[in-house]
Amino acid sequence: MKLRGVVPVMLLPLLDDEGIDEATFRKEVDFAIAAGAAAVCAPGFATEFYKLTAPERYRVAQLLVEQAAGRGVSLQVDAGGEAILTGLTGAATFPTASAAQAACPACANGGWGGFVTKPNAAGNGFVFSTCLGGGTSEASVYSALDPGDNIYVAGTTDDTDSPLLHPYSTAAAGNYLAKLDPAGALVYSGYSGGSFTTDAIAADAAGDAFIAGAGQSSLVPLANPVQTGCPDAANAGGCNMAYIKEISYQGNGVYNVPFETLFGGSYQTAANAIAVDASGNIYIAGSTESGDMPTVHAYQLSPCPSAASPGHTCFPGSAFVAGINPNASGGAAILFSTYLAGPPAPATDPGFAVTQSAAYGLALDGQSPPNLYVTGAATAGMATTPATVFEPLEAAGSTSGQNTFVGKFPTGNGGAAAAAPAYLTYLGGDGSLDTGYAIAVDAVGDAWVAGLTNSSDFPILNPPPNLTPCPQGPVRNGCQTGFVSELNPTGSSLLLSTYIGGGNSLSFPPQFASRVAHEGGGEVFFRRPTSPPNLSPHRGRQDTPLSG
């Protein structure tokens, strides 16, 4: 393997209590990528890494992966079935057409700039292609479409000179927000505040943008919140909590913020995905190391009951999914909130969960009320249901690693999830890295999951002909590759499952499907990072073998 360019080793910042300073570590990764690093490396053997417990070491690796996500291309599919690609580029000659911003100033300075590109139907040109950003560097980018095919772009930035048009804020404070109309013209562009991270975005039919991420509870402004601060009142400095913000553009440079809240427990919590339904209910998914996150109509209570957990901690972290009604009578309310993990921690080790998990992808179907779908990764012990799901237990041979998980939750009662999911299943093989990063739902309720696997026996069904990116069998030599799988509406069987990308025992970054989207005509779009970036969408039909 050859890595070209600068590959810095990440230092490990610690808190006063010798815990990992996750917020600073995330900023460190952002800084390295924004400065033009070709890759980032952890652990650093000259740091305190060797003193960490095994769960803490795993958490460092998880943080690195989470924070480096979003550096590739975010994929959306409009009402006409056409792909819209949003991401980062370092190319000073990035191709533009009908551009709101024709050049990438940061690229000319050796940094990274944002872009939004819509290829034409023939795939030989662009409906539009534009750069976004100032002269320093963008560190991440996420995108969403509203029902009118307006495009919303958000992320983190080091720019102090981003182009401003009717901005939410003119203060260069670390995060940005922009909206383009379906033709690619800017509606607004500016900064969105700096007391939080931007890790996901959604939009509703009214044109409101919903940003999710994480923030320091003592620094985040609030509006009609469901939580006002760190649950541990003794923590005067606050704690790192998930964060949600609704920004409503009124026109002529006027904005409202009808909803801005914290969510989580007394230790690290982050929202990695967000969705909004037609009734205005907000859904988030992510991971938490808190044993005292609020639970409402929960499928699973805390795997580390806070009364027994030192400092309310729950290592090495649990996936969660939650729904919030910001428009409830009497103020915003949590509709449901549940951990997605395993059995409670043993009394002999109350701060450490039996199962480690994290959620990365979230989707809603078109039902009324909608079903909620979530995917991520989990080690052995997750409480799958019912017994007829595709993989009720983590794959044999993977007890020291992880598998993808996929869950479907019915909603109702104003958006509150049922006490039990329609299904919760593992999906994977004997590898140690299987992870679902994205999920989409088609018109008949099939769930399309995309992610990364290094399993020698990952379940394959109806793959494209002559597809052998990684060898099946007992020896795989660390091969990592992407996958796309289709689960039936009950989660009991696969309809399609295939590798995507190449097979490389030491490839960096691994080729995994970072985005997947489905449109009504039966086509599935997925995006796999490549080097150098390839701006072409990859398509496959539901009724034929998937092609990439």
Side-chain angles (χ1 to χ4, degrees):
M1 177 183 66
K2 292 183 179 180
L3 292 178
R4 295 179 174 86
V6 177
V7 183
V9 175
M10 298 293 97
L11 298 176
L12 183 62
L14 300 176
L15 300 168
D16 290 342
D17 63 1
E18 297 188 358
I20 301 168
D21 186 344
E22 296 195 4
T24 300
F25 185 77
R26 289 177 183 274
K27 291 178 181 178
E28 185 182 338
V29 176
D30 284 345
F31 177 84
I33 295 174
V40 290
C41 176
F45 291 105
T47 71
E48 318 306 311
F49 188 83
Y50 72 98
K51 289 189 175 182
L52 300 183
T53 64
E56 287 175 327
R57 292 180 182 183
Y58 193 98
R59 181 57 179 165
V60 170
Q62 185 181 47
L63 287 169
L64 189 69
V65 171
E66 287 180 0
Q67 202 62 20
R71 316 298 172 156
V73 173
S74 178
L75 168 64
Q76 305 294 331
V77 179
D78 67 17
E82 299 303 323
I84 297 170
L85 306 169
T86 308
L88 297 175
T89 179
T93 57
F94 186 84
T96 58
S98 302
Q101 181 180 325
C104 173
C107 301
N109 297 328
W112 295 83
F115 70 83
V116 183
T117 295
K118 182 176 181 178
N120 62 21
N124 58 6
F126 304 105
V127 176
F128 66 83
S129 181
T130 186
C131 296
L132 289 176
T136 307
S137 211
E138 271 62 58
S140 66
V141 62
Y142 302 89
S143 69
L145 296 183
D146 66 21
D149 286 340
N150 295 292
I151 307 157
Y152 301 77
V153 183
T156 55
T157 182
D158 290 326
D159 285 334
T160 58
D161 60 345
S162 290
L164 305 178
L165 177 66
H166 307 308
Y168 169 75
S169 173
T170 59
N175 294 277
Y176 64 88
L177 175 66
K179 177 180 179 180
L180 294 83
D181 69 19
L186 271 180
V187 177
Y188 60 74
S189 177
Y191 299 100
S192 58
S195 56
F196 55 90
T197 64
T198 296
D199 299 316
I201 185 172
D204 66 9
D208 290 1
F210 297 78
I211 298 169
Q216 186 72 10
S217 61
S218 59
L219 302 177
V220 171
L222 302 172
N224 188 29
V226 295
Q227 284 185 265
T228 58
C230 185
D232 185 355
N235 193 340
C239 51
N240 289 325
M241 301 179 69
Y243 169 80
I244 309 166
K245 182 175 186 174
E246 178 184 2
I247 298 178
S248 178
Y249 183 52
Q250 307 297 299
N252 298 317
V254 178
Y255 292 82
N256 289 334
V257 180
F259 182 65
E260 190 167 9
T261 190
L262 297 161
F263 180 85
S266 299
Y267 211 67
Q268 313 284 356
T269 304
N272 299 323
I274 186 169
V276 183
D277 69 19
S279 299
N281 297 313
I282 302 167
Y283 305 88
I284 58 171
S287 61
T288 182
E289 294 179 11
S290 297
D292 60 346
M293 184 188 78
T295 51
V296 178
H297 299 299
Y299 172 56
Q300 287 182 283
L301 300 177
S302 173
C304 299
S306 58
S309 300
H312 308 287
T313 58
C314 191
F315 296 124
S318 171
F320 75 87
V321 62
I324 296 171
N325 180 359
N327 305 309
S329 176
I334 298 174
L335 298 171
F336 72 92
S337 173
T338 185
Y339 289 87
L340 294 177
T348 55
D349 205 357
F352 289 84
V354 173
T355 301
Q356 179 172 11
S357 59
Y360 298 108
L362 186 66
L364 302 174
D365 65 17
Q367 302 298 312
S368 181
N371 292 294
L372 180 150
Y373 299 75
V374 62
T375 190
T379 57
M382 177 170 273
T384 58
T385 188
T388 55
V389 292
F390 177 68
E391 281 188 24
L393 300 175
E394 188 186 40
S398 186
T399 53
S400 61
Q402 65 188 36
N403 277 181
T404 293
F405 74 83
V406 186
K408 175 183 179 181
F409 288 81
T411 67
N413 302 320
Y423 68 76
L424 182 61
T425 182
Y426 281 108
L427 172 63
D430 59 7
S432 59
L433 297 174
D434 291 12
T435 303
Y437 285 105
I439 190 166
V441 189
D442 65 21
V444 298
D446 294 344
W448 293 79
V449 185
L452 168 71
T453 179
N454 70 336
S455 292
S456 65
D457 58 350
F458 189 86
I460 298 297
L461 180 66
N462 298 326
N466 303 317
L467 180 68
T468 56
C470 281
Q472 289 277 6
V475 179
R476 189 132 177 216
N477 297 322
C479 181
Q480 301 175 30
T481 192
F483 73 85
V484 173
S485 300
E486 178 189 9
L487 279 165
N488 71 352
T490 63
S492 60
S493 64
L494 284 177
L495 303 177
L496 179 148
S497 187
T498 183
Y499 295 126
I500 59 172
N504 189 322
S505 62
L506 293 172
S507 60
F508 186 90
Q511 294 186 355
F512 62 91
S514 57
R515 299 291 184 270
V516 62
H518 197 282
E519 56 94 9
E523 286 190 322
V524 174
F525 295 70
F526 60 88
R527 165 64 192 166
R528 65 182 187 198
T530 58
S531 181
N534 180 350
L535 294 183
S536 300
H538 300 264
R539 301 187 179 192
R541 287 199 173 274
Q542 177 182 335
D543 54 359
T544 59
L546 191 69
S547 60

